[in-house]
Amino acid sequence: MANVAVVGSQWGDEGKGKIVDWLSERADVVVRFQGGHNAGHTLVIDGVTYKLSLLPSGIVRKGKLSILGNGVVLDPWAFAKEVDEIASKGVAVTPDNLKIAENAVLILPVHRELDEMREGANSGVKIGTTKRGIGPAYEDKAGRRAIRVIDLADPSTLTIKVEGLLAHHNALRRGNRLEELEAGPIVEALKEIAPRVLPFVAPVWNVLDEAKRKGQRILFEGAQGTMLDVDHGTYPFVTSSNTVAGQAAGGSGVGPGAIGFVLGITKAYTTRVGEGPFPTELTDEVGQRLGERGHEFGTVTGRKRRCGWFDAVMVRQAIKTGGITGIALTKLDVLDGFDEIKVCTSYEIDGKLVDHLPAGMDAQAKVTPIYETLEGWKDSTQGARSWAQLPAAAVKYVRYVEELIEAPVALLSTSPERDDTILMK
Ligand code: 2SA
Ligand code: MG
């Protein structure tokens, strides 16, 4: 089996956690390559629910190596908390089953405060972020002033680095009437938390190279989704990292040849959490019903997710920009019992038919979806484990989706339980 990268093909929350867990059985190493503790991956194993934000989903499986790559932004306090939480469920996180890239960037309280301040401000574009400091941390990385994981190992230069960071942040804080900060307490806090992080630190690129040489299989676990990609998504309503599969290489240090199959996780309808355009959004009772049946609440923040019909235009675009080889269609069972089901097959903008989502913010806001209506099905697809168990109308729906998005459905997921998965031949 080739190395697989799992990415979301919509706006996140497509059910990546379950599929990564399903695939991790066949993998040796599970790697996260972007994002931070803004992700929310829910795993249900033998009736126990695990909610992971930062740790790779492989962590709950014995004998797997989990890796946080250089493309990840790491809040050391959130990390320690998640390690403790998962330990309370009987999962030990040790330097044997987890490695953290030396060159990953840290999220500090200043980043969280800036994120919170911007989201609460009356002016500017509100993004609806998770307020975890993700965006400000990536800004500092690109601005070449970030504190990196490896800096925790060198307390003697930490003060200079933090002072450099504060030169930027205090100017911002002055402008926003936040109190200015001194380096001392931040350095002390970092020194205090360092022992929780340092045992895991490694040159991850080298660990992955060795894994490749040994013929081990690597699973790359994406967070968020293609439409939240900082380049290819609905900018500026995006997260601050590249979420496409190409980032699996850059965000872990393996080179593009290491990624064999790109699996795009795709929900059978659409959801989005946070602000920004959403052409197929339903604010009526149908949207309400999708949200209730699908338990559409943010894993990290508990926010209610916006819901709507499947948008084939958007997913087709995600398949192209993300290089998705095949998709895993999830939560088909949420559509059980609808009399009819709609699928968006093209867009109309200013009276013109359009076959893709244009990049402009104004054009994106003006999109009207054009729908095709399909017959629904009365029988339950929940828990189906074979193609033959699906009602004819559900099979027709899956085939239609496949045709519209121009990519094959490789897997079908019919409940949160990992075994309720149909492998398509
Ligand atoms: P941020 O915090 O800077 O990354 O937010 C920017 C945008 O990215 C969206 N975003 C997400 N969308 C869906 N799921 C995410 N993870 C959690 C989950 C979210 C939660 O799995 O449920 O619990 O609310 C996630 N992370 C970031 C975010 O909504 C903004 O639109
Ligand atoms: Mg999620």
Side-chain angles (χ1 to χ4, degrees):
M1 189 183 87
N3 294 332
V4 177
V6 171
V7 293
S9 72
Q10 292 152 319
W11 279 294
D13 305 315
E14 300 92 350
K16 291 181 290 292
K18 170 191 154 165
I19 303 291
V20 169
D21 179 48
W22 192 82
L23 288 168
S24 71
E25 199 166 52
R26 297 161 180 78
D28 304 292
V29 187
V30 183
V31 188
R32 273 204 53 189
F33 54 87
Q34 48 76 225
H37 65 309
N38 54 341
H41 291 171
T42 309
L43 310 177
V44 182
I45 299 168
D46 301 329
V48 183
T49 302
Y50 301 88
K51 288 192 189 294
L52 300 173
S53 291
L54 178 64
L55 295 172
S57 297
I59 203 76
V60 296
R61 296 268 159 209
K62 281 207 171 62
K64 310 285 170 194
L65 177 63
S66 288
I67 288 186
L68 291 171
N70 56 278
V72 165
V73 280
L74 182 132
D75 178 325
W77 296 275
F79 167 75
K81 192 163 166 252
E82 197 169 318
V83 167
D84 292 344
E85 270 166 16
I86 193 158
S88 74
K89 294 198 169 180
V91 178
V93 180
T94 70
D96 288 330
N97 66 358
L98 180 75
K99 306 272 182 223
I100 300 175
E102 317 175 282
N103 48 348
V105 157
L106 294 182
I107 302 179
L108 305 181
V110 280
H111 297 125
R112 194 188 59 239
E113 282 167 31
L114 188 57
D115 200 353
E116 280 170 353
M117 190 275 298
R118 285 177 180 158
E119 287 293 310
N122 292 324
S123 58
V125 186
K126 200 171 169 257
I127 305 298
T129 73
T130 60
K131 299 184 188 168
R132 296 293 187 270
I134 307 289
Y138 278 116
E139 285 169 37
D140 282 346
K141 174 180 179 172
R144 296 170 293 207
R145 56 183 168 260
I147 312 295
R148 307 205 295 179
V149 168
I150 195 63
D151 297 330
L152 295 173
D154 187 6
S156 65
T157 61
L158 208 45
T159 304
I160 300 166
K161 286 170 188 149
V162 172
E163 278 170 355
L165 185 80
L166 287 180
H168 174 78
H169 277 273
N170 277 336
L172 276 177
R173 293 172 73 92
R174 269 196 298 280
N176 288 294
R177 278 180 248 118
L178 287 172
E179 53 156 346
E180 289 185 44
L181 300 169
E182 304 270 348
I186 298 177
V187 171
E188 283 318 305
L190 285 172
K191 281 185 191 164
E192 201 182 312
I193 197 72
R196 294 295 309 268
V197 179
L198 287 173
F200 302 96
V201 172
V204 150
W205 58 272
N206 206 17
V207 173
L208 287 168
D209 185 59
E210 277 168 23
K212 280 192 290 179
R213 282 167 197 275
K214 281 190 245 165
Q216 293 189 332
R217 281 167 303 189
I218 306 168
L219 181 59
F220 298 93
E221 175 180 14
Q224 291 86 42
T226 305
M227 285 299 148
L228 287 169
D229 183 282
V230 68
D231 287 292
H232 299 291
T234 45
Y235 192 90
F237 303 99
V238 294
T239 192
S240 295
S241 62
N242 283 110
T243 58
V244 291
Q247 176 63 13
S252 61
V254 291
I259 306 158
F261 191 97
V262 181
L263 185 65
I265 314 302
T266 306
K267 205 182 299 203
Y269 50 101
T270 315
T271 62
R272 163 161 218 174
V273 56
E275 306 299 317
F278 182 172
T280 63
E281 181 170 17
L282 297 167
T283 48
D284 59 4
E285 63 277 11
V286 176
Q288 188 82 18
R289 183 162 159 203
L290 287 171
E292 281 164 16
R293 287 188 53 90
H295 308 290
E296 297 295 353
F297 293 92
T299 309
V300 179
T301 59
R303 292 182 292 169
K304 197 165 186 267
R305 296 179 185 138
R306 300 154 67 190
C307 298
W309 293 122
F310 187 76
D311 186 342
V313 179
M314 196 180 82
V315 172
R316 184 170 59 223
Q317 187 160 332
I319 282 167
K320 292 178 181 176
T321 56
I324 290 170
T325 329
I327 69 158
L329 195 65
T330 63
K331 296 186 117 172
L332 185 66
D333 57 296
V334 173
L335 298 178
D336 291 354
F338 278 95
D339 290 330
E340 51 183 39
I341 297 168
K342 290 186 181 177
V343 177
C344 171
T345 55
S346 60
Y347 293 157
E348 192 185 294
I349 302 173
D350 290 332
K352 289 199 195 78
L353 270 189
V354 180
D355 66 356
H356 67 282
L357 188 68
M361 192 176 161
D362 302 323
Q364 288 183 357
K366 279 198 275 187
V367 167
T368 308
I370 310 286
Y371 290 112
E372 200 63 52
T373 304
L374 277 79
E375 193 192 321
W377 53 89
K378 287 277 164 277
D379 306 327
S380 167
T381 63
Q382 196 181 358
R385 290 187 183 181
S386 78
W387 194 229
Q389 280 173 281
L390 298 178
V395 171
K396 209 167 154 194
Y397 183 76
V398 176
R399 291 299 181 215
Y400 188 51
V401 162
E402 217 169 26
E403 185 189 313
L404 290 172
I405 63 172
E406 297 172 23
V409 175
L411 287 175
L412 200 63
S413 160
T414 55
S415 97
E417 284 288 345
R418 72 196 301 250
D419 292 333
D420 295 339
T421 306
I422 303 173
L423 183 62
M424 314 286 281
K425 297 267 158 52

